[in-house]
Amino acid sequence: MSLHYEWTLSLRLRPDTPDVFVEELRYHLGLSDRVPQDPTLDVEGAALAPSGDGDELAGGPATSLVLQQPTSAPPSWGVFARILVLDDAMYDLVQVVPPWLAKWSLTAGWIGFAREEMSLDPWLAFYAADGHAYAASPGEEPQPLTDGAPPFRLTQTTEP
């Protein structure tokens, strides 16, 4: 029997995020049926799209991609995903999705978590900084998810 993980991601994208990236993200969130012609995320299918009948998570799965237009800054895309993922897929997605999103993340610091569906505590927290993605188990220092990333030094989450 497989474990199931709740995976929640929440971040804003930089104002200079290319439209082609936003369109691919829209597909991966399950908000568009249009399969990307030249995908940059190396996964099969829509990586962050809710699946099942919606009863898997209390309150149900949810994804959104909203253009936010603050008065004091350029517009940016707000990204939110709360989905249930099988353990087989979770381990693969952890390695590719946060680094893919981090390249365009305006949010610096905490961007989400994963927890086993029957646990109250997160199993893994995700962070972004300077285009790199990091992950950490509770109480541990965030570690890079890609080669060449500098050590994680942030002490709070910000959006410049």
Side-chain angles (χ1 to χ4, degrees):
M1 184 165 164
S2 295
L3 293 175
H4 294 79
Y5 289 90
E6 174 188 347
W7 196 8
T8 300
L9 295 169
S10 180
L11 64 138
R12 285 187 16 189
L13 301 177
R14 296 187 340 229
D16 63 337
T17 303
D19 291 340
V20 67
F21 181 87
V22 173
E23 286 306 311
E24 184 175 355
L25 177 56
R26 187 173 276 117
Y27 167 76
H28 284 294
L29 290 169
L31 302 173
S32 170
D33 293 332
R34 189 180 312 157
V35 179
Q37 287 186 344
D38 296 315
T40 57
L41 183 59
D42 187 22
V43 297
E44 226 177 277
L48 298 170
S51 60
D53 60 13
D55 291 339
E56 302 87 8
L57 288 170
T63 60
S64 68
L65 181 62
V66 177
L67 185 60
Q68 301 172 336
Q69 298 182 327
T71 57
S72 61
S76 62
W77 289 98
V79 180
F80 179 78
R82 181 176 180 254
I83 58 173
L84 197 67
V85 180
L86 289 174
D87 57 358
D88 298 344
M90 184 67 189
Y91 296 115
D92 293 335
L93 293 175
V94 161
Q95 298 301 313
V96 295
V97 172
W100 181 69
L101 289 169
K103 289 177 192 172
W104 296 105
S105 180
L106 177 65
T107 305
W110 183 89
I111 61 167
F113 70 91
R115 72 176 180 91
E116 199 273 320
E117 73 174 320
M118 296 299 178
S119 176
L120 295 177
D121 301 315
W123 159 67
L124 205 56
F126 301 101
Y127 305 87
D130 300 319
H132 300 283
Y134 302 81
S137 294
E140 294 183 3
E141 293 292 319
Q143 298 300 311
L145 290 174
T146 57
D147 294 334
F152 187 81
R153 301 266 187 241
L154 296 176
T155 57
Q156 66 184 19
T157 300
T158 62
E159 291 179 347

